[in-house]
């Protein structure tokens, strides 16, 4: 048990250092006891796993002992953190980059400054901060990190948007801006339009005067889904079965052929995105929810000169983008405060984590994004 406690202190709070050191006695001189007092974080309640596997089997709630707060550290009381698909993949051990076990789950979130190291400047008790870039270990009540890891945000931001701004909205923003020089009046096409990234693409495109063509799955309630997306600003919404025609572009009416497409599904849904793209268009893949491969016809390359690209936010943020990234996050949070960027979420008390995890795993049917409230 003692070894486990040490491992967790090292993994979560940094290397543990005792607060007292005794100097040796000699026959000729008596040395006094030197005491090194250090600020300590409160104990933390955390979603912990010590092996990779199914999240509903390997995760459990534990109490983590207090950890030292060094002079440049900030102890943050977490307010909220989402359960993202990538969080689940990290616990399963299938995500390309994941923390070594034992580990605490979670990757993004928002918290309130609880304690400041003696050398910290520019932050005050009670400030709201988000980890930027995001990092593992947000599914716990207290997190201690160096000041440089935290980005102060406007406390007027709705908590659930502050907790979820990085992984999904920032992905949508970067994909709209990084691959094709879009102008007002241009169009984009995407599958997975009901995902948070998809909803953000619709709204960010509308703000820029860019049309969006959106593909959704055939399912019960698809008409209601279509209306929800239209209210967000979608120009066109089609089910996959509606696109089983020879000339999908004949369905576009006054919407121009898209120059840019987004794929997070794979399989047939990716092929439908490709069918819409104009000559020389680009499809960006950022997910593969169907776990089916992307099949591209030879003619798409030879006669349409289409380009296939990929986007992974974690790789983009690992480059020298820290300051640029924080400016973008402030922009997105500003849109959320103004009601110009919205998406469906469910705030769930930390005590009901198991139910929230079951919903995130799809055990209870289609559910909104689960956001844990501490």
């Amino acid at each position: 048990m003692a070894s486990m406690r040490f491992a967790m202190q090292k993994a979560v709070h940094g290397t543990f250092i005792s607060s007292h050191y005794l100097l040796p006695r000699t026959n000729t001189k008596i040395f006094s006891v030197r005491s090194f007092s250090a600020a300590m974080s409160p104990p933390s309640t955390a979603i912990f796993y010590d092996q990779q596997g199914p999240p509903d089997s390997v995760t459990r709630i534990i109490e983590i002992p207090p950890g030292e707060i060094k002079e440049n550290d900030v102890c943050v009381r977490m307010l909220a953190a989402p359960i993202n698909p990538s969080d689940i993949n990290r616990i399963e051990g299938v995500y390309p980059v994941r923390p070594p076990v034992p580990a605490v789950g979670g990757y993004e979130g928002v918290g309130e400054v609880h304690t400041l190291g003696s050398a910290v400047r520019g932050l005050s008790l009670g400030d709201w901060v988000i980890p930027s870039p995001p990092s593992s270990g947000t599914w716990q009540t207290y997190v201690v990190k160096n000041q440089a890891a935290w980005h102060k945000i406007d406390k007027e931001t709705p908590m659930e948007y502050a907790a979820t701004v990085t992984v999904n909205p920032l992905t949508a923003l970067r994909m709209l801006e990084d691959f094709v020089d879009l102008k007002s009046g241009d169009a984009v096409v995407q599958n997975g339009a009901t995902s948070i990234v998809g909803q953000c693409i619709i709204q960010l495109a509308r703000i820029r005067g860019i049309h969006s063509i959106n593909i959704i799955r055939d399912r019960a309630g698809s008409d209601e889904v279509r209306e929800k997306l239209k209210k967000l600003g979608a120009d066109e919404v089609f089910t996959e079965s509606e696109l089983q025609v020879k000339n999908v572009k004949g369905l576009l009416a006054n919407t121009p052929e898209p120059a840019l497409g987004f794929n997070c599904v794979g399989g047939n849904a990716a092929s439908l995105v490709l069918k819409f793209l104009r000559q020389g268009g680009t499809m960006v893949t950022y997910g593969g929810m169907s776990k089916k491969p992307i099949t591209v016809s030879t003619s798409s390359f030879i006669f349409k000169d289409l380009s296939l690209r990929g986007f992974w936010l974690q790789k983009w943020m690992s480059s020298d983008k820290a300051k640029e990234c924080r400016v973008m996050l402030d922009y997105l949070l500003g849109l959320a405060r103004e009601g110009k960027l919205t998406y469906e979420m469910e705030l769930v008390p930390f005590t009901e984590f198991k139910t929230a995890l079951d919903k995130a795993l799809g055990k209870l049917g289609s559910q909104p994004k689960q956001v844990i409230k501490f």
Side-chain angles (χ1 to χ4, degrees):
M1 183 64 187
S3 62
M4 174 62 74
R5 191 167 84 179
F6 175 82
M8 285 311 303
Q9 285 172 321
K10 185 172 182 180
V12 179
H13 297 300
T15 303
F16 175 79
I17 302 174
S18 174
S19 60
H20 297 280
Y21 289 88
L22 295 179
L23 298 180
R25 294 177 182 269
T26 71
N27 292 329
T28 57
K29 293 184 178 180
I30 298 177
F31 291 84
S32 62
V33 175
R34 294 179 61 194
S35 177
F36 296 89
S37 61
M40 304 293 285
S41 71
S44 186
T45 305
I47 305 299
F48 165 85
Y49 59 103
D50 55 9
Q51 61 178 316
Q52 289 159 343
D56 51 349
S57 299
V58 301
T59 58
R60 64 182 189 273
I61 298 177
I62 66 164
E63 296 295 320
I64 298 173
E68 181 185 0
I69 302 170
K70 299 178 182 178
E71 63 176 10
N72 291 306
D73 285 347
V74 178
C75 174
V76 171
R77 181 177 70 85
M78 294 303 294
L79 299 173
I83 304 177
N84 288 318
S86 55
D87 296 322
I88 292 169
N89 292 157
R90 286 185 181 90
I91 297 170
E92 292 171 331
V94 299
Y95 203 72
V97 178
R98 52 191 181 270
V101 293
V104 172
Y107 188 62
E108 65 175 334
V110 62
E112 181 180 76
V113 173
H114 178 272
T115 310
L116 297 169
S118 59
V120 173
R121 301 292 181 268
L123 287 175
S124 301
L125 299 182
D127 283 347
W128 278 23
V129 293
I130 59 176
S132 178
S135 55
S136 297
T138 58
W139 291 355
Q140 59 179 315
T141 51
Y142 291 92
V143 177
V144 177
K145 292 183 184 292
N146 187 282
Q147 177 184 6
W150 299 108
H151 175 51
K152 180 180 174 180
I153 65 167
D154 190 326
K155 292 178 71 170
E156 297 300 314
T157 305
M159 182 189 301
E160 61 272 33
Y161 287 93
T164 58
V165 68
T166 304
V167 171
N168 292 299
L170 188 56
T171 291
L173 179 62
R174 292 319 323 148
M175 291 196 303
L176 276 169
E177 295 191 349
D178 284 359
F179 295 94
V180 173
D181 183 17
L182 296 170
K183 302 288 193 300
S184 179
D186 286 341
V188 297
V189 58
Q190 65 170 339
N191 57 36
T194 58
S195 68
I196 290 186
V197 172
Q199 294 176 60
C200 289
I201 284 173
I202 291 169
Q203 295 167 88
L204 293 171
R206 180 185 61 181
I207 290 169
R208 289 159 170 72
I210 297 167
H211 303 280
S212 66
I213 303 157
N214 302 274
I215 303 168
I216 61 175
R217 290 181 295 133
D218 290 277
R219 60 179 179 183
S222 59
D223 288 339
E224 290 83 354
V225 171
R226 189 192 312 269
E227 287 308 308
K228 283 184 178 180
L229 296 181
K230 289 281 186 108
K231 287 180 180 178
L232 290 179
D235 293 272
E236 305 283 355
V237 182
F238 301 105
T239 63
E240 292 184 14
S241 63
E242 289 173 334
L243 299 177
Q244 301 305 315
V245 296
K246 187 173 182 179
N247 181 22
V248 296
K249 294 174 185 178
L251 302 172
L252 292 183
N254 296 322
T255 303
E257 292 181 74
L260 180 62
F262 304 113
N263 164 52
C264 67
V265 180
N268 180 61
S271 300
L272 293 174
V273 170
L274 291 170
K275 286 173 71 174
F276 273 108
L277 289 176
R278 74 186 188 195
Q279 181 81 19
T282 298
M283 182 175 79
V284 180
T285 292
Y286 65 98
M289 290 189 292
S290 72
K291 299 182 180 179
K292 295 178 181 178
I294 299 169
T295 302
V296 187
S297 66
T298 303
S299 62
S300 293
F301 287 122
I302 296 176
F303 303 118
K304 290 187 68 177
D305 192 26
L306 298 184
S307 297
L308 304 185
R309 302 287 301 277
F311 181 80
W312 183 25
L313 183 68
Q314 187 163 339
K315 181 180 179 181
W316 181 84
M317 289 190 299
S318 66
S319 58
D320 187 22
K321 300 285 186 181
K323 290 184 179 179
E324 183 182 350
C325 177
R326 292 181 177 189
V327 171
M328 296 173 199
L329 293 174
D330 289 339
Y331 165 70
L332 292 166
L333 291 172
L335 293 178
R337 288 192 299 273
E338 295 168 8
K340 296 178 180 178
L341 185 66
T342 65
Y343 39 88
E344 192 176 3
M345 292 174 282
E346 181 181 2
L347 274 170
V348 182
F350 188 31
T351 53
E352 298 176 19
F353 173 79
K354 187 179 184 304
T355 300
L357 182 60
D358 285 345
K359 289 181 178 180
L361 290 170
K363 290 184 176 183
L364 303 176
S366 180
Q367 298 286 336
K369 170 71 67 180
Q370 298 296 292
V371 181
I372 307 163
K373 183 179 180 181
F374 296 97

